[in-house]
Amino acid sequence: MQNRKIVISGSPGAGKTSVIEGLNAMGYTVFQEYSRSIIEEGKAQGKANFFLSDPYQFSERLFLGRKEQFGRANLLAVNETKPYVFFDRGVHDTYAYLEALGKGNSMWKDRVNAFQYDLVFLFDPWESIYKTDAERKETFKEAQRYFPFIQNVYQQDHTVVLVPKVSVEVRIAFILNYLSNENE
């Protein structure tokens, strides 16, 4: 038996990380969003927007980091009371973002499809909570553009559940209730 791998993904700035942080505080195993460290490295190299300036190099780094997170999840001991490992975005997001730029190809699609998560919770764009920061530079309208690509990539071979636009606590309860009811 292995822990179940659960992806929390969706539109940038839709509240995913707050939910991940809440699940972590509750004692669940989580893997944080990997792209922020790559964005910081890019800035140190003088790349204001590493993803847009070199999408393939950025995506390769991101893919390898998320692949490593996926592999580390396989090595974790099973937690009988909390048998879920949550990922702030998964491997497939890499391909979805390339698709949004019109740069996706069959090689990238095949690479990400070699990975299978047990369930994906998607957060759709939510303007009233959207904020830019040092790593998230896009406007809300630009951030919205990525959501259909993310949704499409995951729906091809994963069970996808849309998370309602409610408080962080209610979102966490929604996710945990769904997982609990799924196991009955």
Side-chain angles (χ1 to χ4, degrees):
M1 181 178 163
Q2 286 189 322
N3 291 304
R4 297 192 62 220
K5 294 178 192 73
I6 311 298
V7 172
I8 306 287
S9 188
S11 183
K16 298 174 306 300
T17 301
S18 296
V19 167
I20 286 286
E21 289 170 355
L23 290 164
N24 188 41
M26 294 172 73
Y28 287 93
T29 301
V30 302
F31 285 95
Q32 300 293 336
E33 167 61 273
Y34 194 79
S35 67
R36 288 186 174 261
S37 61
I38 299 169
I39 293 167
E40 287 298 317
E41 288 174 26
K43 280 198 244 175
Q45 298 168 6
K47 299 174 184 173
N49 190 326
F50 189 3
F51 175 62
L52 292 180
S53 67
D54 194 345
Y56 290 123
Q57 183 183 4
F58 180 90
S59 296
E60 181 64 23
R61 295 282 317 282
L62 188 56
F63 172 80
L64 293 174
R66 289 181 177 156
K67 176 183 171 184
E68 192 250 330
Q69 288 179 332
F70 188 95
R72 285 183 24 220
N74 287 334
L75 301 175
L76 295 171
V78 175
N79 181 332
E80 297 290 330
T81 59
K82 296 179 178 176
Y84 309 108
V85 175
F86 293 95
F87 297 83
D88 189 344
R89 297 200 181 277
V91 174
H92 296 73
D93 286 75
T94 309
Y95 174 62
Y97 272 69
L98 286 171
E99 280 283 284
L101 290 182
K103 296 188 178 289
N105 57 46
S106 60
M107 186 265 314
W108 275 101
K109 184 176 182 178
D110 291 345
R111 286 178 87 186
V112 302
N113 284 340
F115 298 86
Q116 184 67 36
Y117 296 92
D118 294 295
L119 191 63
V120 178
F121 288 98
L122 285 185
F123 290 51
D124 59 338
W126 190 0
E127 190 168 16
S128 66
I129 68 166
Y130 186 81
K131 292 183 178 105
T132 57
D133 61 27
E135 288 81 30
R136 185 183 307 120
K137 303 284 189 195
E138 61 265 308
T139 65
F140 177 72
K141 189 169 185 78
E142 291 167 332
Q144 282 181 296
R145 185 181 65 157
Y146 294 108
F147 183 76
F149 293 96
I150 296 166
Q151 186 174 28
N152 181 54
V153 166
Y154 279 111
Q155 283 181 333
Q156 290 178 22
D157 58 1
H158 289 86
T159 299
V160 172
V161 178
L162 287 174
V163 177
K165 293 177 180 174
V166 289
S167 70
V168 171
E169 295 76 20
V170 175
R171 284 177 152 190
I172 291 170
F174 173 85
I175 289 167
L176 295 176
N177 285 338
Y178 187 94
L179 291 168
S180 176
N181 290 333
E182 184 186 54
N183 290 331
E184 291 179 358

